[in-house]
Amino acid sequence: MPVRPTAPLILAATLAATAGLTSCGGGSGSDPDTVKVVYNRSTDNKIRFKDNHLAEVKKQFEKANPGKKVKLVPIQAQDNDYATKVQQMMRSPKTAPDLVYEDTFRINSDIKAGYLRPLDDYLAKWKTWDQFVDTAKAAAKAEDGKTYGVPDGTDTRGLWFNKKIFAKAGLPADWSPKNWDDILKAARTIKQKVPGVTPLNTYTGKAPGETSVMQSFEMLLYGTGEAGGNPLYDPGAKKWVTGGKGFQDALSFLRTVYSEKLGPDISDALDPNVGTTVFSEWLPEGKLAIALDGSWLGQNWLKTGGKPWPEWSKTLGQAPMPTQNGQAPGKVSMSGGWTWAITAKSKNPDLAWKFIQQLQTKDNAVTWDIVDAQIAVRKDVAQDPKYTSSMPGITFFTGLVKYTHYRPTTPVYPQVSTAIGEAMEAATTGDASPEKAAKSYDDQLTSIADGATVAASGQG
């Protein structure tokens, strides 16, 4: 999950990345027979399914293309640091890889910076592109109408809860909250009846980056107001929406969780690695009752995962995140995803495209969605029996796609996300009221969006 360390740590990471990139041999250079592929490696050293899968695809590719080579370059870092390092690499022809793994929420800012190459000429001749669902295609499309990445999966989000802790608290095993108050009521009951357990985790603050902003705040914000409206960005007017009632209500929910000590200690909540702690310690060790989190958590607890936990499918239940007051459609989810993108300064774009095609054979696409616990973005993969039976909960999380939302695909979104993280942290710690934190967000938003903002409608 994305993180944003303090400024000194960013500087240190930048210097280390520069040194590391110099030592690893730069870009693909003048070798026309090697495709250099950069991707993010988990910070948990026990998790290597991505490495293993890519190594297998590399073997397939080199066997199918005699004389051609694939150089895999993993970057082990949290997502914000990974993005910083990749952007440094893409700036220069000497260090630019051919192919990069790109988070959809960053792809438009990298397109605007001139780091990526449009893929439309390749896609027009690729029959497999017809299998991709429209929402996934849109996530990799820029404001210029061109497509810059091939998505390999998506995700959804909901509430995970520990049925054993719920039983101790007298709460039902088929818990399904209808509104925010139901969630807070359950958390308060657990605090009272099961001492020593953290009732509820909702990510917050600047350090966890998009883990906080998308997985917590936007899960709340998109559940305010009326169905169909976008509370962050008005695509028709091409303007950002200021922090109105829904925005303030989302901050108030976080303030309630942390002021009533229904969540983890604030110092733990503001740890950039809190996402890892949730799946590797708090949930499997029975220290956390409810987690607002993603569809991929189960992969960590499989035999091949970083924290094998055989009992997880029986111990944990899942429930949809409800809208604020239970208003239609009643449920809410956020979706993201990653794409494979060819860099603008790639020396071997045609070879990079061939590797994307190898990654996206039907068998490889099915395998990838299974090992990385992705929600399928291809119609043929979504119908494959190996996918539909791959993991407990996969049907539940796939069913949330109909309620899901995607983040605004504009180049300044990463800056907006940072401003939201700061507002969350101020409200969570009590440094500012939700109203003042929202006002501070508005001030930043006006600057970020160069005045292209519109007042929020009555949300909530």
Side-chain angles (χ1 to χ4, degrees):
M1 293 290 100
V3 296
R4 184 175 298 278
T6 59
L9 287 179
I10 288 180
L11 178 59
T14 302
L15 294 173
T18 305
L21 298 177
T22 302
S23 65
C24 75
S28 53
S30 58
D31 183 358
D33 296 321
T34 299
V35 56
K36 182 178 177 183
V37 181
V38 170
Y39 65 97
N40 57 339
R41 171 181 282 168
S42 172
T43 55
D44 187 333
N45 287 318
K46 294 179 182 177
I47 297 177
R48 286 292 179 266
F49 51 81
K50 189 178 294 181
D51 304 77
N52 296 338
H53 179 73
L54 291 175
E56 177 58 32
V57 177
K58 165 185 158 79
K59 282 183 192 176
Q60 297 171 8
F61 181 84
E62 291 176 350
K63 184 177 180 180
N65 298 274
K68 307 300 183 184
K69 298 291 181 185
V70 177
K71 182 178 181 182
L72 297 175
V73 183
I75 294 178
Q76 188 169 15
Q78 295 285 357
D79 285 358
N80 281 3
D81 295 338
Y82 167 74
T84 299
K85 293 174 185 180
V86 171
Q87 286 162 353
Q88 287 176 324
M89 297 174 84
M90 292 191 292
R91 285 177 192 146
S92 168
K94 293 181 179 179
T95 56
D98 299 297
L99 195 62
V100 293
Y101 202 39
E102 277 269 328
D103 192 332
T104 52
F105 107 97
R106 296 187 189 279
I107 198 166
N108 270 283
S109 59
D110 282 350
I111 292 166
K112 187 177 182 182
Y115 295 149
L116 303 178
R117 178 184 301 257
L119 304 180
D120 300 77
D121 289 346
Y122 296 117
L123 295 171
K125 303 170 187 174
W126 190 42
K127 291 183 180 179
T128 305
W129 191 234
D130 293 337
Q131 292 289 344
F132 287 75
V133 298
D134 290 342
T135 49
K137 290 180 178 180
K141 187 175 284 190
E143 292 179 311
D144 63 8
K146 297 177 182 177
T147 300
Y148 288 77
V150 174
D152 63 359
T154 189
D155 46 40
T156 54
R157 287 151 178 79
L159 295 162
W160 295 79
F161 62 96
N162 187 308
K163 290 187 279 190
K164 292 181 179 178
I165 295 173
F166 267 51
K168 291 180 182 177
L171 295 168
D174 60 351
W175 182 65
S176 185
K178 304 303 180 190
N179 51 49
W180 292 2
D181 284 343
D182 284 354
I183 298 172
L184 292 174
K185 190 180 299 181
R188 290 171 181 135
T189 299
I190 290 162
K191 182 183 178 185
Q192 180 184 2
K193 296 189 176 181
V194 194
V197 167
T198 299
L200 171 65
N201 183 63
T202 51
Y203 295 109
T204 192
K206 295 179 292 184
E210 276 296 276
T211 302
S212 293
V213 176
M214 179 188 187
Q215 224 156 285
S216 178
F217 183 81
E218 290 174 8
M219 284 288 290
L220 293 163
L221 179 64
Y222 279 75
T224 65
E226 299 303 317
N230 191 315
L232 262 188
Y233 183 75
D234 183 336
K238 293 188 176 180
K239 291 185 177 182
W240 289 88
V241 179
T242 55
K245 185 177 184 301
F247 194 100
Q248 294 170 26
D249 287 351
L251 292 178
S252 294
F253 183 91
L254 293 172
R255 180 66 192 135
T256 298
V257 170
Y258 287 93
S259 65
E260 293 188 19
K261 300 191 183 303
L262 301 175
D265 290 341
I266 289 180
S267 60
D268 291 330
L270 300 181
D271 182 342
N273 296 310
V274 63
T276 300
T277 305
V278 167
F279 76 71
S280 66
E281 297 177 28
W282 293 349
L283 282 173
E285 293 173 11
K287 296 177 179 177
L288 174 63
I290 307 167
L292 177 54
D293 225 301
S295 54
W296 59 87
L297 285 194
Q299 68 170 333
N300 301 291
W301 305 318
L302 300 176
K303 290 180 181 178
T304 53
K307 181 72 177 182
W309 180 22
E311 302 82 16
W312 76 270
S313 60
K314 294 180 180 178
T315 302
L316 297 180
Q318 299 96 26
M321 179 66 184
T323 53
Q324 181 178 12
N325 300 305
Q327 73 271 31
K331 302 169 186 176
V332 65
S333 177
M334 296 296 300
S335 288
W338 290 70
T339 68
W340 290 103
I342 299 175
T343 66
K345 294 182 172 66
S346 165
K347 297 289 190 357
N348 301 315
D350 291 346
L351 200 59
W353 173 250
K354 273 193 170 185
F355 190 71
I356 289 179
Q357 289 178 292
Q358 190 69 50
L359 283 164
Q360 287 295 332
T361 65
K362 166 77 180 305
D363 287 346
N364 282 340
V366 169
T367 299
W368 175 249
D369 281 350
I370 291 172
V371 299
D372 199 39
Q374 295 268 5
I375 301 299
V377 293
R378 284 173 50 166
K379 290 170 273 190
D380 54 352
V381 173
Q383 295 165 3
D384 191 283
K386 284 184 286 187
Y387 168 77
T388 56
S389 62
S390 61
M391 187 183 301
I394 193 73
T395 304
F396 167 79
F397 282 108
T398 301
L400 294 178
V401 170
K402 68 180 75 171
Y403 303 105
T404 206
H405 301 268
Y406 288 82
R407 294 160 291 184
T409 55
T410 69
V412 300
Y413 174 78
Q415 295 170 260
V416 175
S417 172
T418 299
I420 292 172
E422 291 173 0
M424 294 175 76
E425 188 157 325
T428 296
T429 59
D431 287 348
S433 67
E435 293 75 21
K436 286 186 176 179
K439 176 62 169 63
S440 178
Y441 167 76
D442 288 351
D443 293 342
Q444 288 193 63
L445 185 66
T446 301
S447 174
I448 293 167
D450 197 23
T453 60
V454 60
S457 61
Q459 301 165 342

